[in-house]
Amino acid sequence: MSTDVVLQSTQLFGSPGAELVFLGARVLFGAVIAFTGLNHFVNAETMAGYAGAKGIPAPDLAVPFTGGMLLFGGLGLLLGAFTALAAGAVVVFLVVATPKMHDFWAAPEEERMTEMTQFLKNVALLGTALGFLAVSGTQWPLAVGIGL
C-alpha cells in the first residue's frame, strides 16, 4: 500500500471514534442495502409484477439482477471488500431505478406522496453511496480490505 493512501486514511479516520462511527455507518447502510437485495429474491414474483407495471423491460430478469447488485453492494460495503465496485453497484442501481420506479410526478394523486417519499429516500441513499464511493480509494479501518 502506498504511503499516500495510508496518509489519507489516517487523515480521514484520525479523529477519536471516527473508525467506530464509520464502521457503524457501513454496517447500517450495508445491511439495509443487502436486505433490500435479498428481498428481490424472496419476493421476486411480486417485485417483478410491480417492475413490469412501471415499464421495466424483462422484469423477471431485471429483479434478480438488481437484487444481486444490491446484495453484492451491501455486503461489500458492510465488510469493506471491493469497496469501489460495491459502492458503484449501489450508485448505478439508485441512479437508474429511482426516477423509473418512484416517478411521483407521474403518479396518481393518491399515490403521489408515497412515491415522493420513496424517491427522496432513494436520493438520500444515493448520497450515502456516493460518499462511500468517494472514500473507496482509502484504506478503511476495521474492514476486510480486499478488492481491486
Side-chain angles (χ1 to χ4, degrees):
M1 174 156 309
S2 78
T3 306
D4 291 339
V5 172
V6 173
L7 182 60
Q8 289 173 359
S9 180
T10 302
Q11 291 171 343
L12 188 60
F13 303 109
S15 63
E19 292 181 349
L20 291 176
V21 170
F22 189 69
L23 175 62
R26 285 179 22 225
V27 168
L28 292 171
F29 184 77
V32 167
I33 296 297
F35 177 79
T36 303
L38 184 60
N39 197 38
H40 279 65
F41 295 101
V42 173
N43 297 309
E45 189 175 324
T46 302
M47 293 186 85
Y50 183 67
K54 288 288 193 169
I56 302 299
D60 291 331
L61 297 174
V63 167
F65 179 77
T66 56
M69 289 175 70
L70 292 171
L71 193 56
F72 167 76
L75 291 175
L77 293 171
L78 189 149
L79 297 171
F82 299 97
T83 55
L85 291 175
V90 176
V91 166
V92 168
F93 170 80
L94 290 168
V95 164
V96 173
T98 299
K100 186 68 176 167
M101 298 301 292
H102 303 298
D103 55 345
F104 65 91
W105 53 89
E109 183 65 36
E110 63 274 5
E111 297 173 18
R112 191 163 295 146
M113 184 61 74
T114 299
E115 290 296 345
M116 181 186 290
T117 299
Q118 293 300 315
F119 180 90
L120 293 173
K121 177 228 3 139
N122 279 13
V123 170
L125 292 172
L126 174 60
T128 303
L130 287 168
F132 282 120
L133 185 59
V135 298
S136 66
T138 63
Q139 183 179 354
W140 289 8
L142 308 170
V144 173
I146 59 171
L148 303 175

